[in-house]
Structures are given as structure tokens and as C-alpha cells.
């Protein structure tokens, strides 16, 4: 595992953005794994700016997202479909039918999980996966206790995850209780993983990740089984290291 220590959120966004742009420019056809939340927003801004200034093209890029809330339609401003359109896809030349996000409003959610898992296989797997980490160590929406062997699945969100994400909703009650997420085994099949960690709120999680044992009680620890993980962390997140 490689650790890149940087100063702050802005620098993390630039360093990560450059890695992604470099991959796009040097790889014929690429499948990127995208994440949502506050962590990757700066990276997406970098990609948008770079696309405008340097013309980096996403015509050959395909993408899969980690997760989506159950019960929110794609048009819902709190859905991850909406987040991705607003924060990235609408500002690039990526083809809409090349972007994939689990459908949390599917009639048959079990079937949707199978479909998503097969889709990732059909795409040849994820070449480069962007990941954030929850304060409880979750990756995607795989909460503590999730088996490392898990595939795309329906999960119940932990209370602290719903509390952390309630900042985007009117109230805690409005935050969905369930989600579809790529499983831990699905994530670990990505050829390369960038784990972004920024801010003091993530310092304890990063400490556990770096120094703690590998345990299903701390989902991110599964990444230690992967051969090509780069952690990009800022000074505040590295506070206890
Ligand atoms: P955040 O979420 O980027 O909004 O902090 C990360 C996560 O919960 O995985």
C-alpha cells in the first residue's frame, strides 16, 4: 500500500485529479469507479476544469458508481444519480449510456444487484476505483460487519452513516434507511484503488485503517488484501499518524 501525504483538501483533489487524467490520456478504453459524498467533489471539479482547459475527452470512458439509496428516483436531488450528473457527468463529454449507477428505485432490487454485478464483469472490471471512507470505516455503503466476500447487495445503513449524511436532507428521518452498494469483494476486484481521506473527522478512521487489524468490523481494512491501493490523505486526517 502506498501513502501520499498532502497538505489539504484542495491539494488532495489536484493530486487525485491528475492521476485520473493521466490514466484517461494513456489508456484506450477505461472503466472508472466513481464515489459520491463530499470527499470526491474537489476531484470532480478538477476533472471538469481540466476538460474545459485541456480538452481531455471522456468519449471512451465508462464508469460505474459504488452505490445508491433505495427508494430515491434518479431525478431526486438527494439521489446519487442526481449528484453525479450535477457534479460531473453534465460537464464532461462522457456518453450517458456509458455511466452506470445502481438503480435504487428498481422494482426487483435483488435482480438489480445481480444485474449490476454482471454489468461490472461485462465491462471487464473497474480499472481505477475512487473510494472515500466512512467515520465507521465503511467503503461504499458496506457497514461494519459486512462479509469481505460480499457482492453488490442491499444494505441497511448504520445510524451514524444516516446521521453523517443527514446534512444533505431536511431531517434525519428523510435519509433513506437502505441502499444498494457494490460489495467488498466487488470493490476488491478493481485493478487499482485510490482511497481519499480528508479532514479531522476522518482522523480516527484513518488511524484504525493504518494501524488496526484486518477485520470485518472495519470494512476498509479489507483493502489491505489488495495489491494496488494508494491512500491520499491530508494533514488533518493524518493527525494521529
Ligand atoms: P464523505 O463520505 O465523502 O461525504 O465524507 C464518505 C463515505 O461515507 O464513504
Amino acid at each position: 500500500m502506498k501513502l501520499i501525504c498532502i497538505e489539504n483538501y484542495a491539494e488532495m483533489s489536484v493530486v487525485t485529479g491528475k492521476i485520473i487524467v493521466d490514466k484517461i490520456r494513456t489508456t484506450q478504453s477505461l472503466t472508472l469507479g466513481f464515489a459520491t459524498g463530499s470527499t470526491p467533489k474537489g476531484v470532480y471539479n478538477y476533472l471538469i476544469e481540466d476538460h474545459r482547459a485541456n480538452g481531455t475527452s471522456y468519449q471512451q470512458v465508462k464508469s460505474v458508481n459504488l452505490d445508491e439509496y433505495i427508494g430515491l428516483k434518479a431525478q431526486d436531488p438527494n439521489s446519487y444519480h442526481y449528484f453525479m450528473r450535477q457534479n460531473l457527468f453534465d460537464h464532461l463529454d462522457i456518453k450517458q449510456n456509458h455511466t452506470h449507477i445502481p438503480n435504487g428505485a428498481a422494482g426487483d432490487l435483488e435482480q438489480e444487484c445481480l444485474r449490476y454485478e454482471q454489468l461490472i464483469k461485462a465491462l471487464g472490471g473497474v480499472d481505477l476505483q475512487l473510494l472515500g471512507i466512512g467515520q465507521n470505516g465503511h467503503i461504499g455503503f458496506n457497514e461494519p460487519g459486512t462479509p469481505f466476500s460480499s457482492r453488490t447487495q442491499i444494505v441497511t445503513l448504520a445510524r451514524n452513516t444516516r446521521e453523517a449524511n443527514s446534512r444533505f436532507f431536511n431531517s434525519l428521518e428523510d435519509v433513506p434507511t437502505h441502499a444498494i452498494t457494490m460489495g467488498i469483494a466487488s470493490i476488491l476486484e478493481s485493478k487499482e484503488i485510490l482511497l481519499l481521506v480528508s479532514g479531522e473527522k476522518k482522523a480516527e478512521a484513518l488511524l484504525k485503517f493504518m494501524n488496526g487489524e484486518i477485520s470485518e468490523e472495519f470494512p476498509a481494512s479489507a483493502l489491505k488484501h489488495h495489491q494496488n491501493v494508494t491512500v491520499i490523505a491530508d494533514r488533518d486526517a493524518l493527525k494521529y499518524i
Side-chain angles (χ1 to χ4, degrees):
M1 193 174 69
K2 195 170 145 197
L3 173 65
I4 301 179
C5 304
I6 38 84
E7 193 54 33
N8 54 30
Y9 182 83
E11 197 189 341
M12 180 185 78
S13 303
V14 171
V15 167
T16 309
K18 282 187 172 158
I19 293 172
I20 296 173
V21 167
D22 190 51
K23 260 265 179 321
I24 294 170
R25 287 182 170 266
T26 54
T27 314
Q28 268 287 318
S29 147
L30 188 68
T31 299
L32 292 174
F34 287 132
T36 49
S38 304
T39 305
K41 265 184 155 180
V43 178
Y44 297 158
N45 286 337
Y46 179 91
L47 299 183
I48 293 165
E49 284 308 313
D50 165 78
H51 172 67
R52 284 192 188 132
N54 306 315
T56 304
S57 175
Y58 291 73
Q59 295 270 337
Q60 304 301 323
V61 173
K62 300 190 174 86
S63 75
V64 296
N65 261 74
L66 285 168
D67 45 21
E68 177 59 286
Y69 289 117
I70 286 180
L72 300 192
K73 297 214 169 82
Q75 313 83 276
D76 189 302
N78 277 314
S79 74
Y80 288 161
H81 280 76
Y82 191 96
F83 176 101
M84 290 307 298
R85 281 200 310 274
Q86 195 178 48
N87 290 291
L88 189 65
F89 298 151
D90 283 355
H91 311 281
L92 302 176
D93 63 344
I94 195 164
K95 295 178 180 154
Q96 207 197 325
N97 63 349
H98 283 180
T99 67
H100 306 282
I101 304 177
N103 179 6
D108 185 340
L109 291 164
E110 293 290 351
Q111 185 54 38
E112 174 60 9
C113 294
L114 289 175
R115 181 195 73 83
Y116 204 70
E117 197 65 35
Q118 282 160 6
L119 170 87
I120 297 168
K121 279 212 171 63
L123 290 170
V126 173
D127 294 300
L128 179 65
Q129 176 69 55
L130 214 52
L131 279 186
I133 185 170
Q135 289 173 44
N136 63 3
H138 75 201
I139 48 173
F141 269 138
N142 296 290
E143 303 287 24
T146 304
F148 285 171
S149 59
S150 53
R151 294 279 161 186
T152 301
Q153 58 178 339
I154 299 163
V155 292
T156 304
L157 298 177
R159 187 174 172 89
N160 53 6
T161 296
R162 293 182 63 235
E163 280 166 358
N165 290 3
S166 65
R167 66 192 191 277
F168 302 111
F169 293 79
N170 290 329
S171 69
L172 178 60
E173 286 66 47
D174 289 344
V175 184
T177 53
H178 293 79
I180 296 187
T181 182
M182 276 168 65
I184 294 179
S186 330
I187 293 171
L188 287 185
E189 277 175 5
S190 310
K191 294 170 192 100
E192 183 175 353
I193 294 175
L194 301 179
L195 176 67
L196 310 189
V197 196
S198 169
E200 211 178 321
K201 272 195 209 153
K202 300 291 173 73
E204 255 180 59
L206 186 58
L207 176 69
K208 269 197 194 159
F209 175 70
M210 300 298 291
N211 297 346
E213 56 185 39
I214 298 178
S215 153
E216 289 182 350
E217 287 313 308
F218 195 75
S221 65
L223 298 173
K224 291 190 176 166
H225 289 308
H226 195 280
Q227 298 307 308
N228 194 355
V229 174
T230 303
V231 181
I232 306 176
D234 69 11
R235 185 192 281 265
D236 287 346
L238 288 159
K239 185 173 148 179
Y240 301 128
I241 311 278

